[in-house]
Amino acid sequence: MEDFDSLVSTAWLAEHLEEHDLRVLDVRGYVKKTDLGGGRQRAEYLPAHEEYEEAHIPGSLYVDWTADITDPDDPVPVQIAPPERFADLMSSLGVGEDTRVVAYDHTGGQFATRLWWALVYYGHDAVAVLDGGWRKWVSEGRPVTGEVPRVEPARFVPRPRPEWRRSAEEVLEASRGGRAFILDARDEGQYTGAVRRGRRGGHIPGARNLHSESLFDPGSGTFLSQEELRERVRRAGVPEEKDAEVVAYCNGGVAATVPLFVLHRLGYRNLSNYDGSWNEWGEREDLPTEP
């Protein structure tokens, strides 16, 4: 378990696919963006369950990122599910204390890293992202199926790590006091306020921009090399000290998990996700913004 890498290749997964302690979770989905004119944008959060039913990696089970791992009672969209709800889901998927998990989406992007973060937040470290995801798997001609597997339920015990998740008030304190480095994972248009979702545009005061999509190879969909990732992180201004506190955010705490995943793999140890992100911050008039 201690040697389980947080990023696995399609070749590795093909070799280990039938191991009894490995659970593969398909978390494909979409953020559908609509241009409303005047710099305004609407986003719709969508699962891809029909695509899973049509074809998926053999043995994998589906996780709806918009509903299965979210809190239906939270007024802020797609917030992480409370402990009991998350544990019930993982248990039903056969994820227990000794289960290794591989998460994949279309490319191994923000939905896979969101599930990675959610599991780590709830104390389960044996979780990896499939590099290149579904598209790479299919492009290599690897086997797919429409058969949904039946698995035995397992016992998942959630052990929340509060330091991995930040509230608006904690981020406001960090912004005012400069205690933490705040990283905005949205695109540049949203960061500058040229593109606005919801009531207000701009960014959290003091935040620096590192678009989550810039951390992937545009051709293959795999993560950039470690050297290239270090350079992207450096250019964004992230402190070199691995103990530096870094808080990432986006719109709903999903794309923010991509730079968090990258920083984790680069050896950073003090990472957290502002789960409410701009879906919360942008709607609250009591929280400051910068253009």
Side-chain angles (χ1 to χ4, degrees):
M1 298 283 282
E2 292 180 357
D3 296 331
F4 191 49
D5 198 333
S6 57
L7 185 67
V8 300
S9 67
T10 50
W12 184 94
L13 182 58
E15 182 181 348
H16 296 268
L17 194 57
E18 296 184 6
E19 294 180 359
H20 69 89
D21 66 336
L22 184 71
R23 184 71 64 236
V24 182
L25 299 180
D26 183 322
V27 65
R28 282 178 284 174
Y30 298 96
V31 176
K32 181 182 178 182
K33 304 170 188 175
T34 303
D35 183 4
L36 302 177
R40 294 179 302 120
Q41 186 182 85
R42 181 177 66 239
E44 186 178 2
Y45 296 155
L46 302 170
H49 194 267
E50 291 181 358
E51 294 181 37
Y52 168 81
E53 291 181 334
E54 181 179 344
H56 50 263
I57 295 175
S60 64
L61 291 166
Y62 190 70
V63 174
D64 181 341
W65 78 277
T66 71
D68 291 344
I69 57 174
T70 61
D71 184 352
D73 299 320
D74 197 310
V76 181
V78 296
Q79 297 301 280
I80 188 67
E84 297 78 11
R85 179 180 174 87
F86 190 84
D88 286 346
L89 173 70
M90 289 299 125
S91 297
S92 71
L93 296 172
V95 177
E97 295 291 288
D98 298 322
T99 307
R100 296 174 298 162
V101 177
V102 174
Y104 74 91
D105 55 30
H106 287 102
T107 62
Q110 64 178 342
F111 306 120
T113 59
R114 173 67 174 184
L115 187 54
W116 163 83
W117 172 80
L119 280 161
V120 171
Y121 171 67
Y122 277 123
H124 194 88
D125 291 323
V127 52
V129 169
L130 179 62
D131 200 16
W134 170 252
R135 290 176 186 167
K136 190 170 190 293
W137 182 271
V138 172
S139 72
E140 295 170 342
R142 300 192 185 274
V144 302
T145 183
E147 181 180 350
V148 178
R150 298 179 65 181
V151 299
E152 289 293 325
R155 182 171 181 265
F156 184 92
V157 179
R159 298 181 176 89
R161 292 166 166 154
E163 69 274 14
W164 275 83
R165 184 177 185 234
R166 296 301 179 199
S167 67
E169 288 67 32
E170 289 172 320
V171 176
L172 178 61
E173 181 184 352
S175 171
R176 286 174 170 170
R179 187 194 74 244
F181 184 87
I182 303 175
L183 197 58
D184 186 321
R186 300 174 301 162
D187 60 62
E188 184 180 5
Q190 293 182 82
Y191 174 76
T192 62
V195 176
R196 173 171 56 85
R197 291 184 192 173
R199 184 177 303 175
R200 301 188 299 166
H203 58 266
I204 295 173
R208 297 286 296 273
N209 186 225
L210 178 61
H211 188 201
S212 61
E213 293 182 13
S214 72
L215 302 173
F216 298 98
D217 182 282
S220 66
T222 58
F223 280 94
L224 298 173
S225 70
Q226 290 291 84
E227 293 74 17
E228 291 175 296
L229 290 171
R230 285 191 189 93
E231 178 60 20
R232 298 289 171 97
V233 166
R234 185 196 64 79
R235 290 207 305 261
V238 177
E240 293 184 8
E241 297 78 13
K242 296 301 189 289
D243 287 327
E245 183 178 356
V246 181
V247 180
Y249 76 95
C250 52
N251 284 297
V254 178
T257 63
V258 175
L260 290 177
F261 181 76
V262 165
L263 291 168
H264 166 76
R265 289 188 51 76
L266 290 176
Y268 285 80
R269 295 177 288 272
N270 195 0
L271 304 171
S272 58
N273 182 15
Y274 170 30
D275 204 13
S277 286
W278 206 255
N279 283 342
E280 177 182 30
W281 195 282
E283 298 302 308
R284 284 181 50 176
E285 298 288 349
D286 61 316
L287 297 172
T289 66
E290 284 183 346

